[in-house]
Amino acid sequence: MGLNIKDYLNTPILFIIVLLVISLMFVFPVLNMVLLGAILAYGIRPIANKIQSKLKYSSISILLAIVIVLIPLILLVAYIIFELSTFVTWILANNPDANVNSAMYQISAYLPAGVDINSINSYLDSVINNVGSYILNYSVKFVSKFANITLDLFILVCSVFYFVRDGDKCLDFIRSFVPDDSKDFFDNTIKAIENVLKSIFYGHFLTSVIIGIFGCIGYSLLGYPFGIFLGVLTGILQLIPVFGPWPIYWALFFIDVASGNYVRAVIVLFFGFFLSTVDMYIRPALSSHYADIHPLILLIGFLAGPLVYGIVGFIIGPLVLGITYAVLDNYRNEYLLGDD
């Protein structure tokens, strides 16, 4: 018997499709905040449950859990801004006459003969001007979009709150539409998604925290000013594929070479190699316990995510691609390989 599409596209189904399309048009501008809220809710929910076991008030427990998670993030951003301002002030105080041209002429002593310093200076001046213009334009856009940013944050907090409180009800509601012969696939898919979330959190975010702590200790012991701040930057860069900790320790290496501190330059270079090597062991050891995701999938997610969703794309990008891979792999195991 042939498939008759009219048996499926009846009046109620058509009405539901129209409503879903219209609803998606309203939700799409804030979809990134809703998705991010669902992701954060997954990590905040265990904290809220522990608090609720003592307070017995779900709403208060969820709000306290959100505050507990947000306070370290706010403090981290404030610390980075404070240290950056302190670092710039320190550089200007110790080098009142410093500029790009004088710095380049000092570095020219270490460059091969025949290198055109003037062309390098012109290029650096152009880069600095472009970066300054970009920061200024971005600041103006940020101020002009302050109302939208406030709305996004409000939607994010509300999404986290309601996903933590009613996440089970949401899954049960979706599951009620799944045919009986596909409920096992749906349940296995949910488990696979949870494993992806755990894999990315433990394998990437926790790894960056560990590398950042190592960086704080190592840079401080080597006597670098702002050693803790350099360690924090190392941990943040560890989250970004391709980058990792190498920009920090290579920059310190060249600074020490330029200043004649060759012993510390060699030590910091070996320390940087140690951080990169530790990452190669810690990341697979933590993530492989939950889900085995190919690094290319996460790399594309990290790099393409910000192009689609802005800065939150660093989180949403790899998670969406990782979850898509988990769903496809579960379907392959359930319906394709399962029939062999």
Side-chain angles (χ1 to χ4, degrees):
M1 294 179 62
L3 179 63
N4 189 358
I5 195 172
K6 293 182 179 180
D7 295 336
Y8 295 92
L9 292 179
N10 49 37
T11 301
I13 296 298
L14 289 174
F15 184 62
I16 290 173
I17 292 175
V18 172
L19 289 177
L20 288 175
V21 171
I22 296 174
S23 299
L24 184 61
M25 292 172 60
F26 283 100
V27 174
F28 188 78
V30 295
L31 183 60
N32 57 342
M33 291 294 107
V34 176
L35 292 175
L36 184 59
I39 294 168
L40 294 177
Y42 179 81
I44 291 176
R45 187 173 183 180
I47 302 174
N49 290 337
K50 290 183 179 180
I51 298 175
Q52 187 176 351
S53 63
K54 298 181 180 180
L55 292 181
K56 300 180 180 179
Y57 296 101
S58 61
S59 297
I60 298 177
S61 302
I62 295 171
L63 291 175
L64 288 176
I66 293 174
V67 171
I68 290 173
V69 173
L70 287 180
I71 285 179
L73 295 177
I74 295 173
L75 291 177
L76 177 62
V77 173
Y79 172 77
I80 291 175
I81 294 174
F82 173 77
E83 287 295 329
L84 282 175
S85 62
T86 305
F87 180 69
V88 172
T89 304
W90 178 77
I91 291 179
L92 295 177
N94 288 274
N95 302 276
D97 299 325
N99 53 61
V100 175
N101 293 330
S102 62
M104 282 304 304
Y105 281 114
Q106 292 178 7
I107 297 175
S108 63
Y110 303 93
L111 297 177
V115 176
D116 189 0
I117 298 298
N118 293 326
S119 61
I120 297 177
N121 286 337
S122 300
Y123 175 76
L124 289 177
D125 289 337
S126 176
V127 170
I128 292 173
N129 291 331
N130 291 333
V131 171
S133 299
Y134 175 81
I135 294 175
L136 181 60
N137 293 331
Y138 183 83
S139 301
V140 172
K141 292 180 180 179
F142 181 84
V143 173
S144 63
K145 295 182 178 180
F146 181 78
N148 293 335
I149 294 173
T150 304
L151 177 62
D152 287 344
L153 292 177
F154 177 75
I155 293 174
L156 175 62
V157 174
C158 291
S159 298
V160 171
F161 178 86
Y162 287 110
F163 275 120
V164 172
R165 194 187 71 175
D166 303 321
D168 289 337
K169 296 179 181 178
C170 180
L171 287 177
D172 292 339
F173 178 77
I174 297 174
R175 194 175 188 274
S176 64
F177 291 95
V178 178
D180 292 336
D181 58 350
S182 299
K183 288 189 183 296
D184 289 339
F185 169 74
F186 178 80
D187 294 336
N188 292 332
T189 299
I190 295 300
K191 292 179 181 178
I193 291 174
E194 291 180 354
N195 289 334
V196 169
L197 291 173
K198 292 179 181 178
S199 174
I200 292 179
F201 174 77
Y202 290 107
H204 296 274
F205 291 100
L206 187 56
T207 299
S208 70
V209 173
I210 295 174
I211 296 298
I213 293 174
F214 283 163
C216 292
I217 296 173
Y219 296 138
S220 298
L221 291 178
L222 289 174
Y224 288 104
F226 308 98
I228 296 178
F229 177 61
L230 293 173
V232 171
L233 291 182
T234 300
I236 294 174
L237 290 175
Q238 185 64 40
L239 285 173
I240 307 174
V242 180
F243 279 89
W246 67 265
I248 301 296
Y249 64 78
W250 274 108
L252 295 175
F253 169 78
F254 286 117
I255 291 174
D256 282 340
V257 170
S259 61
N261 195 344
Y262 301 111
V263 175
R264 192 171 68 171
V266 174
I267 294 175
V268 76
L269 195 60
F270 277 106
F271 177 68
F273 292 156
F274 164 76
L275 293 179
S276 299
T277 304
V278 167
D279 169 66
M280 296 172 59
Y281 287 96
I282 294 179
R283 191 187 301 269
L286 293 176
S287 60
S288 61
H289 288 289
Y290 303 99
D292 186 15
I293 305 175
H294 196 278
L296 180 61
I297 297 175
L298 299 179
L299 175 63
I300 295 174
F302 273 111
L303 297 180
L307 298 177
V308 179
Y309 286 118
I311 192 170
V312 297
F314 280 114
I315 300 176
I316 295 178
L319 284 174
V320 169
L321 293 185
I323 289 172
T324 302
Y325 169 79
V327 173
L328 292 174
D329 186 58
N330 185 44
Y331 177 82
R332 178 176 66 96
N333 294 328
E334 190 78 17
Y335 291 101
L336 301 181
L337 300 180
D339 295 335
D340 295 342

